Amino acid sequence: MRSEETDKEQRIIRLFHQGDASAMDLLYTDYAGYLTWVGFRYISDDDDLKDVLQESFIKIFTCINSFTYRGKGSLKAWMTRIVINESLQFLRRQQASQIVRMDDLDLPDMAEEEPDLTGLSADSLSEMIRHLPPGCREVFNLYAVEGKSHIEIARLLNIKPDTSASQFHRARAILARMIRKYQLKKARE
Amino acid sequence: MKDQWIRDMRRLLDGYEKDPPDGLLDEVKQAIGERNLRPVPERKSATWPTN
């Protein structure tokens, strides 16, 4: 049985190949909200996010002819990779990433604390992820949200796998503190 | 369980979306026109807006 997602993706690709102008609108309507969320968690400034999304959609719309459909979710995964790559390139250009500089630094010991997500909404959590310090934010997203390994992240960001792991632990500890602070505030309200 | 919180986090964020910036699609279309890019290889029956 074909899923709705499969039909949606194949319909969009077909329209692009037919040169139908409605293809851009349809793709945008179906995926802009999701892709904005992908960029949102990497780019903390709204104007910068708009620039990154603009370049991402230009790439999506102009390169979709080179995309090969490989089953359910493959179009979504391809577009996700484009937004992530554009976000990382932007951060590199802005030299916002602290990762490389932290390669040679001793990271302070961070508590092995795991975030307690009790009572947290997706809205609150996404805001917290967005406000993790640059450097560890990229690693956190790539590892915890995208599911990449530290070796893959090291290749992507041109850092050592150990640095990726350290940055992830740092992000996790910071996030745990942010959540605890938020929960305490909510409890007092 | 180790990293259970990551699984919980992914579940919480599953299907989550954010409103795209205002006017984004129009600006994308405008930029495509200004840069003389075309969304797909030009075809006889193509109906893409031209700038």
Short mmCIF file of all heavy atoms in Angstrom, two decimals, chain A residues 9-40:
data_model
loop_
_atom_site.label_atom_id
_atom_site.label_comp_id
_atom_site.label_asym_id
_atom_site.label_seq_id
_atom_site.Cartn_x
_atom_site.Cartn_y
_atom_site.Cartn_z
N GLU A 9 5.61 12.96 -2.33
CA GLU A 9 6.95 13.19 -2.85
C GLU A 9 7.00 12.92 -4.36
O GLU A 9 7.58 13.69 -5.12
CB GLU A 9 7.96 12.29 -2.12
CG GLU A 9 8.19 12.70 -0.69
CD GLU A 9 9.35 11.96 -0.04
OE1 GLU A 9 9.56 10.77 -0.37
OE2 GLU A 9 10.03 12.56 0.78
N GLN A 10 6.40 11.83 -4.77
CA GLN A 10 6.46 11.48 -6.19
C GLN A 10 5.68 12.48 -7.05
O GLN A 10 6.09 12.81 -8.14
CB GLN A 10 5.94 10.06 -6.39
CG GLN A 10 6.93 9.04 -5.83
CD GLN A 10 6.54 7.62 -6.13
OE1 GLN A 10 5.36 7.28 -6.14
NE2 GLN A 10 7.52 6.77 -6.36
N ARG A 11 4.59 12.99 -6.50
CA ARG A 11 3.79 13.98 -7.23
C ARG A 11 4.61 15.26 -7.44
O ARG A 11 4.63 15.84 -8.54
CB ARG A 11 2.51 14.28 -6.44
CG ARG A 11 1.63 15.28 -7.14
CD ARG A 11 0.22 15.30 -6.56
NE ARG A 11 -0.51 16.41 -7.14
CZ ARG A 11 -1.04 17.41 -6.45
NH1 ARG A 11 -0.96 17.42 -5.14
NH2 ARG A 11 -1.68 18.39 -7.05
N ILE A 12 5.29 15.69 -6.40
CA ILE A 12 6.11 16.90 -6.50
C ILE A 12 7.22 16.72 -7.53
O ILE A 12 7.44 17.57 -8.39
CB ILE A 12 6.69 17.26 -5.10
CG1 ILE A 12 5.58 17.78 -4.19
CG2 ILE A 12 7.80 18.30 -5.23
CD1 ILE A 12 5.98 17.94 -2.74
N ILE A 13 7.90 15.60 -7.46
CA ILE A 13 9.00 15.34 -8.39
C ILE A 13 8.47 15.31 -9.83
O ILE A 13 9.09 15.87 -10.75
CB ILE A 13 9.71 14.01 -8.03
CG1 ILE A 13 10.40 14.16 -6.67
CG2 ILE A 13 10.74 13.64 -9.10
CD1 ILE A 13 10.76 12.84 -6.02
N ARG A 14 7.33 14.66 -10.02
CA ARG A 14 6.74 14.57 -11.35
C ARG A 14 6.42 15.97 -11.90
O ARG A 14 6.71 16.28 -13.04
CB ARG A 14 5.48 13.71 -11.29
CG ARG A 14 5.00 13.23 -12.66
CD ARG A 14 3.92 12.15 -12.57
NE ARG A 14 2.83 12.51 -11.67
CZ ARG A 14 2.53 11.87 -10.54
NH1 ARG A 14 3.24 10.84 -10.16
NH2 ARG A 14 1.51 12.25 -9.79
N LEU A 15 5.86 16.81 -11.03
CA LEU A 15 5.50 18.17 -11.48
C LEU A 15 6.75 18.96 -11.87
O LEU A 15 6.75 19.71 -12.85
CB LEU A 15 4.73 18.91 -10.37
CG LEU A 15 3.29 18.45 -10.15
CD1 LEU A 15 2.69 19.14 -8.92
CD2 LEU A 15 2.43 18.74 -11.37
N PHE A 16 7.82 18.79 -11.11
CA PHE A 16 9.07 19.48 -11.46
C PHE A 16 9.56 19.00 -12.83
O PHE A 16 9.96 19.80 -13.67
CB PHE A 16 10.15 19.24 -10.40
CG PHE A 16 10.16 20.29 -9.32
CD1 PHE A 16 9.54 20.06 -8.10
CD2 PHE A 16 10.76 21.52 -9.52
CE1 PHE A 16 9.52 21.03 -7.11
CE2 PHE A 16 10.75 22.49 -8.54
CZ PHE A 16 10.13 22.25 -7.32
N HIS A 17 9.52 17.70 -13.02
CA HIS A 17 9.99 17.16 -14.30
C HIS A 17 9.11 17.56 -15.46
O HIS A 17 9.55 17.63 -16.60
CB HIS A 17 10.15 15.63 -14.21
CG HIS A 17 11.38 15.26 -13.46
ND1 HIS A 17 12.66 15.42 -13.96
CD2 HIS A 17 11.54 14.75 -12.20
CE1 HIS A 17 13.54 15.03 -13.05
NE2 HIS A 17 12.89 14.62 -11.99
N GLN A 18 7.84 17.86 -15.16
CA GLN A 18 6.92 18.30 -16.23
C GLN A 18 7.04 19.80 -16.47
O GLN A 18 6.38 20.33 -17.36
CB GLN A 18 5.47 17.95 -15.83
CG GLN A 18 5.16 16.47 -15.89
CD GLN A 18 3.82 16.13 -15.24
OE1 GLN A 18 3.19 16.97 -14.61
NE2 GLN A 18 3.40 14.89 -15.40
N GLY A 19 7.87 20.47 -15.67
CA GLY A 19 8.02 21.91 -15.82
C GLY A 19 6.79 22.67 -15.38
O GLY A 19 6.50 23.76 -15.88
N ASP A 20 6.07 22.11 -14.44
CA ASP A 20 4.84 22.74 -13.95
C ASP A 20 5.19 23.75 -12.85
O ASP A 20 5.79 23.40 -11.84
CB ASP A 20 3.92 21.65 -13.38
CG ASP A 20 2.54 22.17 -13.04
OD1 ASP A 20 2.44 23.30 -12.53
OD2 ASP A 20 1.56 21.44 -13.28
N ALA A 21 4.80 25.00 -13.07
CA ALA A 21 5.16 26.07 -12.14
C ALA A 21 4.57 25.87 -10.75
O ALA A 21 5.07 26.42 -9.77
CB ALA A 21 4.69 27.41 -12.70
N SER A 22 3.52 25.08 -10.65
CA SER A 22 2.91 24.87 -9.32
C SER A 22 3.77 23.95 -8.44
O SER A 22 3.51 23.84 -7.24
CB SER A 22 1.51 24.28 -9.47
OG SER A 22 1.59 22.94 -9.92
N ALA A 23 4.79 23.33 -9.01
CA ALA A 23 5.63 22.40 -8.25
C ALA A 23 6.31 23.12 -7.07
O ALA A 23 6.39 22.58 -5.97
CB ALA A 23 6.68 21.77 -9.16
N MET A 24 6.81 24.33 -7.35
CA MET A 24 7.50 25.07 -6.28
C MET A 24 6.54 25.38 -5.14
O MET A 24 6.88 25.22 -3.97
CB MET A 24 8.09 26.37 -6.83
CG MET A 24 9.35 26.16 -7.64
SD MET A 24 10.31 27.67 -7.89
CE MET A 24 9.30 28.50 -9.09
N ASP A 25 5.33 25.82 -5.49
CA ASP A 25 4.34 26.16 -4.47
C ASP A 25 3.94 24.93 -3.65
O ASP A 25 3.81 24.99 -2.44
CB ASP A 25 3.09 26.78 -5.11
CG ASP A 25 3.41 28.08 -5.81
OD1 ASP A 25 3.92 28.99 -5.15
OD2 ASP A 25 3.19 28.16 -7.02
N LEU A 26 3.78 23.83 -4.36
CA LEU A 26 3.36 22.60 -3.68
C LEU A 26 4.45 22.11 -2.72
O LEU A 26 4.17 21.77 -1.57
CB LEU A 26 3.04 21.52 -4.72
CG LEU A 26 2.44 20.23 -4.17
CD1 LEU A 26 1.09 20.50 -3.52
CD2 LEU A 26 2.27 19.19 -5.28
N LEU A 27 5.68 22.10 -3.21
CA LEU A 27 6.79 21.66 -2.35
C LEU A 27 6.89 22.58 -1.14
O LEU A 27 7.04 22.12 0.00
CB LEU A 27 8.11 21.67 -3.14
CG LEU A 27 9.34 21.14 -2.40
CD1 LEU A 27 10.32 20.49 -3.40
CD2 LEU A 27 10.08 22.21 -1.62
N TYR A 28 6.78 23.87 -1.39
CA TYR A 28 6.90 24.85 -0.30
C TYR A 28 5.77 24.64 0.73
O TYR A 28 6.02 24.63 1.93
CB TYR A 28 6.85 26.26 -0.88
CG TYR A 28 7.20 27.33 0.12
CD1 TYR A 28 8.53 27.67 0.38
CD2 TYR A 28 6.20 28.00 0.83
CE1 TYR A 28 8.85 28.64 1.31
CE2 TYR A 28 6.51 28.98 1.76
CZ TYR A 28 7.83 29.29 1.99
OH TYR A 28 8.15 30.26 2.91
N THR A 29 4.56 24.49 0.23
CA THR A 29 3.42 24.31 1.14
C THR A 29 3.61 23.07 2.02
O THR A 29 3.35 23.09 3.22
CB THR A 29 2.11 24.14 0.32
OG1 THR A 29 1.96 25.30 -0.49
CG2 THR A 29 0.90 23.99 1.21
N ASP A 30 4.11 22.02 1.42
CA ASP A 30 4.24 20.75 2.16
C ASP A 30 5.45 20.69 3.08
O ASP A 30 5.42 19.98 4.09
CB ASP A 30 4.31 19.58 1.17
CG ASP A 30 2.94 19.27 0.57
OD1 ASP A 30 1.94 19.72 1.14
OD2 ASP A 30 2.88 18.60 -0.47
N TYR A 31 6.55 21.38 2.72
CA TYR A 31 7.79 21.16 3.46
C TYR A 31 8.42 22.40 4.09
O TYR A 31 9.40 22.27 4.83
CB TYR A 31 8.83 20.48 2.56
CG TYR A 31 8.44 19.08 2.18
CD1 TYR A 31 7.90 18.78 0.94
CD2 TYR A 31 8.59 18.04 3.10
CE1 TYR A 31 7.52 17.49 0.60
CE2 TYR A 31 8.22 16.75 2.77
CZ TYR A 31 7.68 16.48 1.52
OH TYR A 31 7.30 15.20 1.21
N ALA A 32 7.91 23.60 3.81
CA ALA A 32 8.57 24.81 4.33
C ALA A 32 8.61 24.82 5.86
O ALA A 32 9.61 25.21 6.47
CB ALA A 32 7.89 26.06 3.80
N GLY A 33 7.51 24.38 6.49
CA GLY A 33 7.46 24.39 7.95
C GLY A 33 8.50 23.46 8.56
O GLY A 33 9.21 23.82 9.50
N TYR A 34 8.62 22.28 7.97
CA TYR A 34 9.60 21.31 8.47
C TYR A 34 11.03 21.80 8.23
O TYR A 34 11.88 21.76 9.13
CB TYR A 34 9.39 19.94 7.79
CG TYR A 34 10.57 19.03 7.98
CD1 TYR A 34 10.82 18.43 9.20
CD2 TYR A 34 11.47 18.83 6.92
CE1 TYR A 34 11.94 17.62 9.38
CE2 TYR A 34 12.58 18.03 7.10
CZ TYR A 34 12.82 17.43 8.32
OH TYR A 34 13.93 16.67 8.51
N LEU A 35 11.29 22.31 7.02
CA LEU A 35 12.65 22.75 6.68
C LEU A 35 13.04 24.00 7.47
O LEU A 35 14.22 24.18 7.80
CB LEU A 35 12.78 22.98 5.17
CG LEU A 35 12.64 21.69 4.33
CD1 LEU A 35 12.58 22.02 2.84
CD2 LEU A 35 13.77 20.70 4.62
N THR A 36 12.06 24.83 7.79
CA THR A 36 12.35 26.00 8.64
C THR A 36 12.80 25.53 10.02
O THR A 36 13.75 26.05 10.59
CB THR A 36 11.10 26.90 8.76
OG1 THR A 36 10.75 27.37 7.46
CG2 THR A 36 11.36 28.09 9.67
N TRP A 37 12.16 24.50 10.50
CA TRP A 37 12.55 23.94 11.81
C TRP A 37 13.97 23.36 11.75
O TRP A 37 14.75 23.49 12.68
CB TRP A 37 11.52 22.90 12.24
CG TRP A 37 12.00 21.79 13.14
CD1 TRP A 37 11.89 20.46 12.90
CD2 TRP A 37 12.63 21.90 14.41
NE1 TRP A 37 12.44 19.75 13.93
CE2 TRP A 37 12.90 20.61 14.88
CE3 TRP A 37 13.02 22.98 15.18
CZ2 TRP A 37 13.53 20.36 16.08
CZ3 TRP A 37 13.66 22.73 16.40
CH2 TRP A 37 13.90 21.43 16.84
N VAL A 38 14.33 22.74 10.64
CA VAL A 38 15.70 22.20 10.51
C VAL A 38 16.70 23.35 10.62
O VAL A 38 17.65 23.30 11.41
CB VAL A 38 15.88 21.46 9.16
CG1 VAL A 38 17.35 21.04 8.98
CG2 VAL A 38 14.97 20.23 9.10
N GLY A 39 16.49 24.42 9.84
CA GLY A 39 17.43 25.55 9.89
C GLY A 39 17.39 26.27 11.22
O GLY A 39 18.43 26.72 11.73
N PHE A 40 16.21 26.37 11.80
CA PHE A 40 15.99 27.08 13.06
C PHE A 40 16.89 26.56 14.16
O PHE A 40 17.40 27.30 14.98
CB PHE A 40 14.51 26.92 13.44
CG PHE A 40 14.11 27.56 14.73
CD1 PHE A 40 13.65 28.86 14.76
CD2 PHE A 40 14.14 26.85 15.93
CE1 PHE A 40 13.24 29.45 15.95
CE2 PHE A 40 13.75 27.43 17.12
CZ PHE A 40 13.29 28.73 17.13
#
